[in-house]
Amino acid sequence: MDLIPFYKNNLHYIREMAVNADKRVYIDTAESKRHYLDLDKVELPQDSLMVPWYKLEKKQSLMRKWSFGIIPWQIDITYRKLVKAFYNHDSEKIIKHSADIGHYLADAHVPLHSSSNYNGQFTNQMGIHALWETRIPEKYIPTYNLFVGKAAYIPDVLAFAWKTINKSHNLLDSVFKMEMQTRQDIPAIQHKTYIVRGNQTLHNYSETYVDHYHNLLDGMVENRLRMSIQAIGSIWLSAWIDAGQPDLTKSKPISVLQDTIPYKGKTSLGREEWHE
Ligand SMILES: [Zn+2]
């Protein structure tokens, strides 16, 4: 018995639902802060914070006002839900929480999800978020090697989530520095151009700019993507193991995608980070 057939059969749903977490930002004020942690604002020692969220909430009234983001705790919270869903052979919930945790894990691998300067607004680099997270991947993913090794059991998910966001934060300096460098290397007139996105035309970074920045980043985006794919597979596997390796061939197949989110036409209730 293994997990691969289950995920293969439901890949379509997981793909569909992977962006639900970003859609919820438009309808739920609590959602946005689940996608980041401003490590530049965290003053408490990390050791004191590396406990499950429900424990912090009970102990410290300050956590209720916490506005710096909660991504490592959110990964842990969603993980617990996923384990429970596996335990109950609840296919629908397994898919929902698998998609959500995949989303949060991917966000945690993005350096700009670890800082209050998440879109370069404090360093005059506005737009850097979509440049790193959308423009580069959409252009370069076909050239990346995204075959990663086997999934591995993660004994402490909360610690793993903290490690991931800290690694992201360590890369932040380069993320900003290389963008500054790109700005200097390329003549101003070539920075932006009109690009077509779906049925819209946007004034955005030129191909030359994207290429140059990508080169200076020297494999960073590919590397973080690979790490996040590896992390997602490992988290799914770990949740299944923690649930006692249930035989999912007995779980009822899901028929319709239920979790539709009425986000269209609404404005974001938190950080803008979704680029359709
Ligand atoms: Zn997100």
Side-chain angles (χ1 to χ4, degrees), residues 22 35 103 107 113 273:
D22 278 344
H35 300 238
H103 182 107
D107 278 354
H113 280 252
E273 60 146 309

Side-chain angles (χ1 to χ4, degrees), residues 152-206:
Y153 181 74
I154 297 170
D156 185 341
V157 169
L158 187 60
F160 176 80
W162 275 95
K163 215 167 96 189
T164 303
I165 196 77
N166 274 301
K167 255 192 212 155
S168 287
H169 198 62
N170 290 340
L171 297 168
L172 204 58
D173 255 5
S174 306
V175 169
F176 289 124
K177 224 183 257 165
M178 297 311 165
E179 204 273 336
M180 283 292 188
Q181 187 66 48
T182 304
R183 201 171 286 219
Q184 284 164 19
D185 291 349
I186 293 183
I189 192 145
Q190 290 176 26
H191 286 184
K192 296 212 168 169
T193 183
Y194 288 94
I195 60 158
V196 178
R197 197 160 245 287
N199 48 14
Q200 282 180 302
T201 307
L202 305 169
H203 195 229
N204 209 298
Y205 298 103
S206 66

